Amino acid sequence: MECQEEKPIIYTMENKPIVTCAGDQGLFTSLYTSLAQQLPREPMEWRRTYGRAPKMIHLEANFVQFKEELLPKEGNKALLTFPFLHIYWTDCCDTEVYKSTVKEDMMRWQNSLRTHGSADWVIIVVETNDTKKKNKTNILPRSSIVDKIRSDFCNKQNDRCVVLSDPLKDSSRSQESWNSLLLKLRTLLLMSFTKNLGRFEDDMRTLREKRTQPGWSFCEYFMVQEELAFVFEMLQQFEDALVQYDELDALFTQYVLNFGAGDTANWLGSFCAPVRNWSGLLLRRPIDMEKRDGIQRGEASLLDLRSYLFSRQCTLLIFLLRPWEVTQRALELLHNCVQELRLLEVSVLDGALDCWVFLSCLEVLHRIEGCCDQAQLAANCSHTVGLWAYATDKLKSLGELCGLVSEKGPTSEDLNRTVDLLAGLGDERPETVNSLQSPYKKLKEALSSVEAFERHYLELSHAAMEMYRAIGRLRSARLVGKSLAEFYMRKGDPERAETFLQEALKSYVSEGWRLPVTHTRRQIAECQKLLGRTEDYLQTSALLAGDVNLTTEERKHFCQEILSFAGKSGDKSNKVCLSMSVFAQLTRLQFHPATASVHSGAILQVELTLRCLMPVSVRIQQLAASIHFDVDHGGTHGRSKGAQRQTNPGTVEFNHGSSSAGPPSSSATGPSLELDEIQDRSPSDNSLNSTGVVCKNTHLIMRRHDSNSPPDTPNCVSPPTVAMKEGAQMLKVQDVTLEPGNNSITFTAPSEQPGTYTLRQLCATVGEVQFVLPHIYPSVQYEVYSQEPQLTVEPLSEPLLAGLPQMVKFTLLTGHYAVKKGDALQLSNTDTMPILPSSSCTARISSPTAELVDESTLSIQSSEKVTSITLPPTPPYHTLEFQLEVLCIIPSGSERPANERLTNGEVRHRPRSYSHPDTPMTAIDQRMSIDCPWSIYSTLLALTFYIPFKTKHSLLSAGNRKYIQVCVQNVSDVNFTLAEVKLTEKQHVSLELQSLNTKTQQLLCSKHSVFCLWEVRWKDDLPSCLQCVFSANFSPLNQDISAFKPFHYQFQLERVTTLYSVRAEILPPAGEQHCRSGFLCGLEVCITRLTEPAEGEVAEDSKTDTDGLRTTKLMYEVADSSSNWAVCGKSSGMVSMPMTANATHKVQIEVMPLFAGHLPFPKIKVLKYLPHTAAVAIQPDPDSCVENDSLSLLDKTLDDQADTASIRSRGSVHSVGSGDQQQKGVAMPRLEPFSPGQVFNHTHARQVLVLPSTDDHIMEVNAT
């Protein structure tokens, strides 16, 4: 009996919590089925300790007969054999039976529980009608028996006695009784679980905290925590069970890492024993009892512990429906186990770990395949592909170890090693004996022969690559392919190997892995050499020869391979073309001259800087650069093309983050656009007609790209080998030796024909090998131009001032024309801008680089109409410069002469002055016509001069005396001296203009003015019109008298005679001596005619009244704009004035002073009133019209000379009536002001004293 109990229990998912049953076994047997079925139907909330989240669980139980042997002994911590609840069943209802047998049996049952410390029990009393009928005489009420049991055994725990009524009947009372019983059982079971599991966890935690003490064993602790995991698994709490195994995994891993860091533990010594068995993982059993027993005994190896621990995790993950996490954990496990064996320094036979990993990978994959269908496997291959690739890698390692990869096959030593590896696998497990595709059989078959190994290896490799491609992991797929290529190389099949190597190289190049690129290229070179593909081999050799990741000796070896082939004599037409990017790099290109633009026939040198990538010196027979010529962009159109010509960079640096073989863009996008601007200009005036954009590298953008071709990058798998295109024009240099590093090579570029030359390709010839740079990027070009002669005239200093001698600079760009001896420029003379004679005029001749070539004296001959300038001989494309002194005559505003004609027959247009928006000075454009020897057409050039002065005049009157004032304003930035200021009148000899200017010379500073004044004196009568000429000499400050230049200003004064005088007096109120503010005063206006009427005046505005006296109508208006006076009553009116000398008219007007003090007189205006019969002299201003109703007022009062206050003066001409009527041609009365000087007002400067209204003086004093 005891021996059977000590046997280990096979823990499976069939285990359930144990519940013992004592008492009436027949009664329990009759109810077992119903109880076992109904107990797990309803879930219960399990509230756990330490704040863990509650969970809903379905409780099941394993009901067994009560035996005292089942009760846990002291020190036994097994939870699976622990009875969590004890039940006593009885249906006794007889008092005597209860006292004689049942009570004593219950007491024995409780004493046994109390002895073993079990407090989880319950007594169930079953009540049936059959029992009542059999014992009617001695039957007590059921309640009495229950009360006795409760009083005897449940004094403090009445709920531990439960009544089950009619359990076998289908009634509501029976169902309620069942529900109450089931709830009680679930509650008691959960209470027992919580209490016992909590106690167990506390003990387990205490044991774990002792792990630092000597003698602590991980294996013992493992068994304790696994017991807890078993209980959670039994309760179907798989997540909690998995947590226990994960904690064990993490704890063991930490100990191994500490061991590697030098912190050892004694119990780890058992796991450092040599590995004797490498049969792989076993995932087909719920529990591997063999390995578990080894762990329990402390005899398990590291692989055994890891295998068992992972098998349990795998089982729980599959129960949790997380099979893909199994593959992830498996891959981590396999890699970690390899590292842990190294850290623990465990002795392992060579190849044993590879066998263990291979078998484990396939075991995991077969386990996943067993619980998933094919659709799920295909959709989630990203989780399994890592295991396929790992298994492939380990199988390859086993093949290399056992000699199954070499061409000669395995040796005897390899066979012995294979036997040792297979022996370590042991016998095949019973679970896989009948499986034809078990991992054990696959490994054994793969190691049995070369053919079988190749079949299995290729099958695994292709499966892994297909999965990687399916999930988009091309890098990993190519890595597997590279491993496969190495396999083919060992098997002597370089053709297949190269395909996989090229694919792998693409990934390395695109991602920038330099060392893998170098290693893979060496393998590709080996394949190409074995296959006899000379051109590809030379291309790869050139790449390797320039690879700095190789040693110098290796680089020299590959360079010698190229030179050896280049030195062979063969057919010249079958030269091998390679990419120059693998041989040398174009780093810099520089033009001499640096403008990269020369005229036709000039010398242009191109200096290339090549960085040779070869490790040794290389002699080049010929270095050539092809040139594309474009005549449309050459600069042969238009005379101003030299100024419009686009400048090309003289030095071009090439960026080698990418290569000069292609633009700096990715291989997928191809070369970038090279755009250039084109302009269509008019040949006559160089105006822009149209503009556009042209692509200069269309041949590269539009070319067809093969989808299988490698990218066009410097580190590409196989750079493109574009042949050199032979062109009509090429740059060539012979016999050049390139040293490692930078080399400078100079070409002489063709420059005969004008146009744009673009460097397209570069080719270096080394024997039978040509290194070609298919496209030079960025675009490099130079320009050869043929320029028309250009003559420009510009001021030597800005601005050009009219009236003073100014130096102008003539610049002749000869262009393609050679100035011969005797060639001359013919300038048309103008009276407004004469060319001043000069004793010496020197011409400077400069080269295109601005170097002085020659200086010579010009011969200038002038006639009445033409100035001839003889030019010195000047070579083409040189600059001829000389200076002339010109003088622009300031226009005086006099009459215009008749049109003159130039030497070419064109009409000379007189210069017109105009206001310039950027300066206050008035501008004058002077045009000159020049006949050039290189053209049949005349060249028209213009110079802009600025008049430094602004002149104004005014007529001043003082009674009958007249004065003329002239204001000269200096608007330039130069200070001048004015001298000999005069004013003359051209028509009247008897008129005298007496100067009131005291200074003979006056300083006229910049932005300042000078005023000059003359009094007009006459003998008989003052003329009505004066023609005046103001003249003065001026020169810049501090210059000699000879530098003075004349300045004239003509103007005309009309109606200068004073016709009327206006006098006014302000009369104080009656009884007052002075005017007071606020009191009415009298304003007496006296208008006096001073002269007899002239003939024109009589005809214009006079009228003969009934007495034969000629009169004219005047209108007066009194207004005060300063608000000192208030005009009371009428402020304006009409008067009829006799046209005789000394005729006078007086007007009385009431005004009121508004302020006290010396107030100026109100302003008095006098205007002409022209009747509607008078001719309209000036265009009326619509703004000056008054309302239409004022017209009737004037008509009514016209004869009786009545006054009106409704007419107001607004402008120079005042019309009475609407503007619309005047525009329609209807003659209307109007007002016209007198010219300046015709009316003299004596009250302009007069003032009158006005006293305050009272004498009260109020002073405010503010004291602080």
Side-chain angles (χ1 to χ4, degrees), residues 580-854:
M580 182 173 283
S581 62
V582 302
F583 171 72
Q585 290 179 344
L586 177 60
T587 60
R588 191 182 186 197
L589 188 146
Q590 188 173 6
F591 289 100
H592 301 286
T595 56
S597 178
V598 296
H599 58 81
S600 57
I603 297 176
L604 176 69
Q605 290 185 337
V606 182
E607 181 182 354
L608 299 182
T609 301
L610 284 177
R611 182 166 66 239
C612 181
L613 304 178
M614 297 296 102
V616 297
S617 300
V618 180
R619 180 176 175 272
I620 299 177
Q621 282 76 28
Q622 177 179 284
L623 183 64
S626 67
I627 296 177
H628 174 74
F629 175 68
D630 188 359
V631 70
D632 294 335
H633 295 168
T636 59
H637 310 291
R639 302 177 192 173
S640 61
K641 187 63 182 180
Q644 299 291 335
R645 190 166 54 246
Q646 178 181 0
T647 58
N648 299 310
T651 302
V652 180
E653 301 287 345
F654 296 94
N655 179 21
H656 290 286
S658 58
S659 170
S660 58
S665 57
S666 63
S667 59
T669 56
S672 61
L673 292 175
E674 292 182 18
L675 302 178
D676 194 9
E677 180 187 7
I678 57 173
Q679 296 181 351
D680 180 20
R681 294 184 175 272
S682 173
S684 60
D685 57 357
N686 198 40
S687 61
L688 182 65
N689 293 334
S690 63
T691 185
V693 177
V694 63
C695 179
K696 298 162 60 176
N697 59 341
T698 312
H699 61 291
L700 292 176
I701 301 296
M702 303 301 293
R703 70 179 178 181
R704 180 180 180 272
H705 293 273
D706 188 1
S707 59
N708 296 323
S709 63
D712 185 15
T713 58
N715 293 324
C716 55
V717 178
S718 179
T721 55
V722 180
M724 184 72 174
K725 297 180 181 179
E726 293 292 338
Q729 299 188 26
M730 298 186 69
L731 304 180
K732 293 182 181 180
V733 65
Q734 307 293 333
D735 293 331
V736 177
T737 300
L738 293 184
E739 300 291 340
N742 290 331
N743 299 266
S744 180
I745 300 116
T746 302
F747 297 90
T748 300
S751 59
E752 289 77 17
Q753 186 176 359
T756 300
Y757 295 78
T758 305
L759 276 66
R760 291 295 192 192
Q761 294 177 311
L762 192 63
C763 176
T765 303
V766 183
E768 300 300 316
V769 180
Q770 285 186 339
F771 294 97
V772 179
L773 182 62
H775 178 60
I776 298 177
Y777 184 89
S779 178
V780 178
Q781 61 185 16
Y782 66 93
E783 182 181 2
V784 177
Y785 58 89
S786 176
Q787 181 181 345
E788 294 290 332
Q790 296 181 13
L791 178 63
T792 58
V793 180
E794 56 187 355
L796 201 61
S797 61
E798 291 284 354
L800 290 176
L801 296 180
L804 293 176
Q806 301 287 297
M807 297 298 295
V808 293
K809 179 181 178 182
F810 286 73
T811 303
L812 172 61
L813 301 177
T814 59
H816 63 79
Y817 181 78
V819 179
K820 300 178 294 295
K821 184 178 181 180
D823 287 346
L825 299 179
Q826 306 293 332
L827 280 67
S828 298
N829 293 338
T830 62
D831 55 352
T832 58
M833 191 187 70
I835 297 176
L836 302 180
S838 176
S839 59
S840 63
C841 182
T842 303
R844 294 168 52 91
I845 302 175
S846 304
S847 66
T849 58
E851 296 179 0
L852 181 62
V853 176
D854 189 16

Side-chain angles (χ1 to χ4, degrees), residues 1104-1123:
T1104 304
D1105 58 8
T1106 54
D1107 299 333
L1109 184 64
R1110 305 193 63 84
T1111 61
T1112 183
K1113 292 191 179 296
L1114 301 180
M1115 181 178 177
Y1116 66 90
E1117 181 180 7
V1118 179
D1120 184 30
S1121 58
S1122 58
S1123 301

